Amino acid sequence: MHTSGAATRRCVVWFGQPDRAEQDALALAGWPVRVADAGSDGVGIRNGDIVVALADLRVDDRGVHEAMERMVAEHPGVPWIALVSPETPAREPTVKRVLRDCIDFFTSPIDTERLQQALARLSGSGRLRGGGPADIAGMVGESRVMHQLRATIRKYAPVDLPVLITGETGTGKEVAASALHRLSARAERPFVPINCGALPPNLVQSELFGHERGAFTGANARRVGHIESASGGTVFLDEIGDLPLDAQTSLLRFLQEGTFERLGSSQPIRADVRVLAATHVDLEKAVAEGRFREDLYYRLNVLRLPMPPLRERGGDVELLAQFFLEQFRQQHRTGQPVSFSASARRAMRAFAWPGNVRELLNRVQRAAVVAEGPLIDTADLDLPAQPAERSVAAGLGEARILAERDAILACLRETRFNISECARRLRISRVTVYRLCKKHRLALDELR
Ligand SMILES: Nc1ncnc2c1ncn2[C@@H]1O[C@H](COP(=O)(O)OP(=O)(O)OP(=O)(O)O)[C@@H](O)[C@H]1O
Ligand SMILES: [Mg+2]
């Protein structure tokens, strides 16, 4: 065990061999590294230390695996991050367990920016002693727009006014509505989402406000509407643009006076309910075309929450992808795949995501089923491939090596590891295929 600096309050315990650049990047981010390798006699954690364990699984080293075993046994509460590569010995029991339990994965060369974000998120989640304030559960994202969005949600939540949530399909409008409710004083009372577009137009009034027995043919009993049942809580009117005009009038009255009538009754009922609404259509246009009441529009539009499209959230696409993969692995108790290849990350960053977060979720789930190795690749996500960036001269050599490695690995997979076929397709000899596998540390037995 080498300890970099005395009395460190927080640190990453690195199981394996970090290179100088990796150690420096973490130290700069305020996370000094302690290396625990085969020769370590203990990991030297003191009381009060804030510790994250990093399993460097790029190499297959028994001694390091044993040190990891000791760490798991002696410090069960410490969160793990894994650094994987296609050579990761995924069937080794210790490695298997770390892969199953760890909270995030990285590939080599390590994306230090994303690692810093993961560590910052951990600090913020309260999973580490001394962590910061708890974040809004269920809303993943560290981009500037997402930080702004969360700040706005915190500001709007305690104010008992309507909020109009706008944004493209799949951007998380319902997630935001639910966060507004949970952060409000109404959190213990019901949150009732209603999809206005899915209700038959002739039943909308009765669904929202209820009806008395005999109010219309088929109304055999009195029915309490959604607004009444949300009493003390929040209703979320999704696709508000689809609300028929008569229901718009009743809603406007409810927003102005706090009262409504059940269908078939003239008895006003008072309910204390906050109204949140969402739309993915242009309500201003609906107003201009006479399909939406202008006065209702102004009532609902007091506080506005625009959800940013996924393509404007920078690196969040990768964070979310990893988050959804984690969820999938936990729900389906699968060991593989554990992360995304560099080319898959590039493809995800470049894609326009018309279906936003929901589309990403669907693609990751599908990829998690079809991917064959430890890393999800571009083809598994069914995304168009993006050429590697070759802007920096220094990176060019590395890019070529990576491209060569990608090419040989892709061809091996396509030929189902038939070496002769792979050699034929690449127009090289079988000996060269073996040599390249060795050069790029592609362990054929592990990959097959
Ligand atoms: N920031 C986020 N972090 C994690 N999951 C998210 C996030 N945003 C959205 N999701 C997930 O993406 C999916 C779509 O979100 P949601 O249903 O809230 O979108 P929406 O804007 O209401 O979509 P639509 O317009 O189609 O109704 C859900 O499964 C939701 O849990
Ligand atoms: Mg929705």
Side-chain angles (χ1 to χ4, degrees), residues 138-140 146 169-175 320 324 357-358 361:
M139 267 201 149
V140 176
M146 284 307 281
T169 181
T171 45
K173 295 186 290 294
E174 184 150 355
V175 176
L320 280 160
F324 291 141
V357 185
R358 182 181 298 105
L361 170 67

Side-chain angles (χ1 to χ4, degrees), residues 357-374:
V357 185
R358 182 181 298 105
E359 180 178 9
L360 176 65
L361 170 67
N362 292 339
R363 283 189 193 255
V364 169
Q365 287 182 337
R366 179 182 167 279
V369 175
V370 303
E372 305 214 318

Side-chain angles (χ1 to χ4, degrees), residues 19 38 61 80 83 86 113 144 177 197 230 243 247 262-263 268 280 290 305 309-310 371 392 411:
D19 63 32
D61 183 328
W80 283 80
L83 185 50
E113 199 177 313
R144 205 170 45 85
L243 208 61
R262 293 196 193 119
L263 218 61
H280 74 263
L305 193 68
L310 182 57
V392 190
C411 190

Side-chain angles (χ1 to χ4, degrees), residues 240-302:
I240 186 91
D242 290 339
L243 208 61
L245 281 165
D246 59 338
Q248 289 180 28
T249 308
S250 309
L251 180 63
L252 178 66
R253 178 177 150 207
F254 175 64
L255 288 172
Q256 284 172 335
E257 297 162 22
T259 60
F260 62 90
E261 281 145 23
R262 293 196 193 119
L263 218 61
S265 156
S266 53
Q267 177 83 49
I269 299 175
R270 188 160 285 281
D272 168 29
V273 172
R274 185 183 191 186
V275 175
L276 307 177
T279 177
H280 74 263
V281 300
D282 190 348
L283 268 192
E284 287 82 355
K285 189 160 163 253
V287 170
E289 289 170 359
R291 286 179 287 115
F292 203 84
R293 287 186 66 128
E294 191 173 16
D295 42 11
L296 177 59
Y297 169 71
Y298 287 121
R299 271 277 156 178
L300 292 171
N301 196 26
V302 183

